[in-house]
Amino acid sequence: MASSSWPEQAPGESLRRQAGFLREIDRLKGVFRQTYLLDGSRKENDAEHSWHLAMYAMVLAEHANEPVDLERVLKMVAIHDLVEIDAGDTFAYDQAAHADKADRERAAADRVFGLLGEQGRELRALWDEFEQRRTPEARFAAAVDRLQPLLHNYWTEGKAWREHGVRAQQVLSYNARVGEGSETLGRLVETIVAASVEAGYLLP
Amino acid sequence: MASSSWPEQAPGESLRRQAGFLREIDRLKGVFRQTYLLDGSRKENDAEHSWHLAMYAMVLAEHANEPVDLERVLKMVAIHDLVEIDAGDTFAYDQAAHADKADRERAAADRVFGLLGEQGRELRALWDEFEQRRTPEARFAAAVDRLQPLLHNYWTEGKAWREHGVRAQQVLSYNARVGEGSETLGRLVETIVAASVEAGYLLP
């Protein structure tokens, strides 16, 4: 499967490289997260998650702490998980896997963005910016990246939290970052965590 | 599943409406298309497809016939299939289903974008613009929306084409729209179709 070579007659060398990259990143659809779809039927994959974050960013931009350039936010959320094609998804509350996460992801970024040659540098710089949360766009993108799985847990009655025995304090400290991008969304996190403990979705 | 009500203490009425919309559109992850993933393991869903189009738009923007505002293109591809939550995916070469497609999709747009109240008007206007292909952004978004499944068919050795007995002329006329957004990508379509016929992926 997926063995067809690129036709020699196809226009342009840049298009050949771009198509190679667009073909390779299809693998993001096979990287599964711990978060469930809202109907509880299966776990969500990284490509679906990235699309959902684009919708979160578009709809919630008014709540960002500082004005954001939405084009840059949308690009950032589209590419933020591409490294997981090589490095896999690391569950938020898996401390052992977090030890070498940064190294695994940097190597993956070198390879995946490298497929685009010179054009990949802009995307790699955006990914570095996202990881380092140095700009309003990166902080807002990171906020929605944390908020979305939190709401999925709440709306599925804590399905993934209960499977992993997660506690309220873990969720609060992991999601403290939401407030750095949006104080309003940060307050929402606290409300959702309190409601989840009360409903028994999350351990106190 | 997904029965948790919105906490009364959560900040703001607009946030309640926005969360309701972001929750509802999770259903896009369950709308399946005829296109296969490149590993051939299963069909692609609309959420994954929408994410992939965002990547296509970012990477291929230099090939647009006219300069495009990428933020508007990225928004358009993120929302372009939301109507299929209600209206379902209509296979490109199913003429019967195309007869009432426009009516079904307009009703869906009323409901889905309506969930966002006043804020939904901007997204609805973007969806109308995409459908009507009146602007460079809409024409370029429509071009990548057709190119992506074509390349998936080519890279999976015509898997969906062969299942439906599709002919080269059908593919060429359906994808004529690609050239309206990008002449370069339009030439690519012709090359891919010719190579697909030669390889036996597509009926002559």
Side-chain angles (χ1 to χ4, degrees), chain A residues 156-171:
Chain A
T156 56
E157 302 179 350
K159 195 168 166 73
W161 285 334
R162 285 186 283 114
E163 283 178 6
H164 295 277
V166 177
R167 299 189 162 275
Q169 194 49 56
Q170 288 176 283
V171 177

Side-chain angles (χ1 to χ4, degrees), chain B residues 121-194:
Chain B
R121 287 175 193 255
E122 184 208 338
L123 299 189
R124 172 59 188 264
L126 268 175
W127 182 77
D128 287 334
E129 182 181 329
F130 173 79
E131 286 292 305
Q132 294 160 12
R133 299 187 299 287
R134 276 182 290 108
T135 58
E137 285 79 13
R139 286 188 287 271
F140 182 64
V144 295
D145 185 36
R146 302 249 150 144
L147 179 64
Q148 187 254 6
L150 179 98
L151 287 176
H152 273 236
N153 256 304
Y154 178 64
W155 282 324
T156 57
E157 303 179 348
K159 195 167 166 70
W161 285 333
R162 284 186 283 115
E163 283 179 4
H164 295 275
V166 177
R167 301 191 160 274
Q169 194 49 54
Q170 289 176 280
V171 177
L172 285 174
S173 49
Y174 186 73
N175 289 291
R177 185 173 297 175
V178 175
E180 295 169 19
S182 163
E183 285 182 20
T184 304
L185 299 180
R187 284 201 303 281
L188 176 62
V189 167
E190 290 166 18
T191 312
I192 294 287
V193 168

Side-chain angles (χ1 to χ4, degrees), chain A:
Chain A
M1 195 48 65
S3 59
S4 318
S5 61
W6 194 240
E8 274 183 35
Q9 300 80 356
E13 187 51 43
S14 72
L15 199 48
R16 174 190 296 266
R17 197 167 43 236
Q18 289 159 345
F21 173 79
L22 292 169
R23 179 179 184 167
E24 171 70 8
I25 64 173
D26 198 60
R27 292 170 56 201
L28 200 64
K29 300 167 190 171
V31 179
F32 283 84
R33 305 165 49 77
Q34 291 303 320
T35 312
Y36 283 90
L37 299 195
L38 293 184
D39 67 5
S41 61
R42 62 169 174 84
K43 290 178 177 173
E44 177 182 60
N45 68 55
D46 272 346
E48 298 166 323
H49 164 70
S50 299
W51 164 76
H52 214 163
L53 292 196
M55 295 302 308
Y56 268 67
M58 282 163 58
V59 166
L60 300 176
E62 66 178 277
H63 305 296
N65 287 341
E66 299 160 90
V68 291
D69 176 340
L70 192 57
E71 177 178 324
R72 298 183 69 249
V73 176
L74 293 174
K75 286 176 162 181
M76 244 178 241
V77 299
I79 63 155
H80 83 292
D81 271 343
L82 284 179
V83 293
E84 298 191 358
I85 287 174
D86 289 352
D89 180 58
T90 307
F91 184 50
Y93 305 106
D94 179 347
Q95 290 193 326
H98 271 268
D100 67 340
K101 177 172 183 277
D103 288 343
R104 283 183 287 122
E105 293 193 349
R106 260 194 304 272
D110 289 346
R111 186 187 75 82
V112 176
F113 297 119
L115 294 173
L116 272 178
E118 196 58 41
Q119 191 181 7
R121 286 176 195 254
E122 184 207 337
L123 299 189
R124 172 58 188 265
L126 267 176
W127 181 76
D128 287 334
E129 181 182 328
F130 173 79
E131 287 291 306
Q132 294 160 14
R133 299 187 300 287
R134 277 182 288 108
T135 59
E137 285 78 14
R139 286 188 288 271
F140 182 63
V144 295
D145 184 35
R146 302 250 150 142
L147 180 64
Q148 187 254 4
L150 178 98
L151 287 177
H152 273 237
N153 256 303
Y154 177 65
W155 282 324
T156 56
E157 302 179 350
K159 195 168 166 73
W161 285 334
R162 285 186 283 114
E163 283 178 6
H164 295 277
V166 177
R167 299 189 162 275
Q169 194 49 56
Q170 288 176 283
V171 177
L172 285 174
S173 51
Y174 186 72
N175 289 293
R177 185 174 296 174
V178 175
E180 295 169 20
S182 163
E183 285 181 19
T184 304
L185 299 180
R187 283 199 304 280
L188 176 61
V189 167
E190 290 167 17
T191 311
I192 294 288
V193 168
S196 297
V197 170
E198 195 173 352
Y201 304 159
L202 190 57
L203 296 172

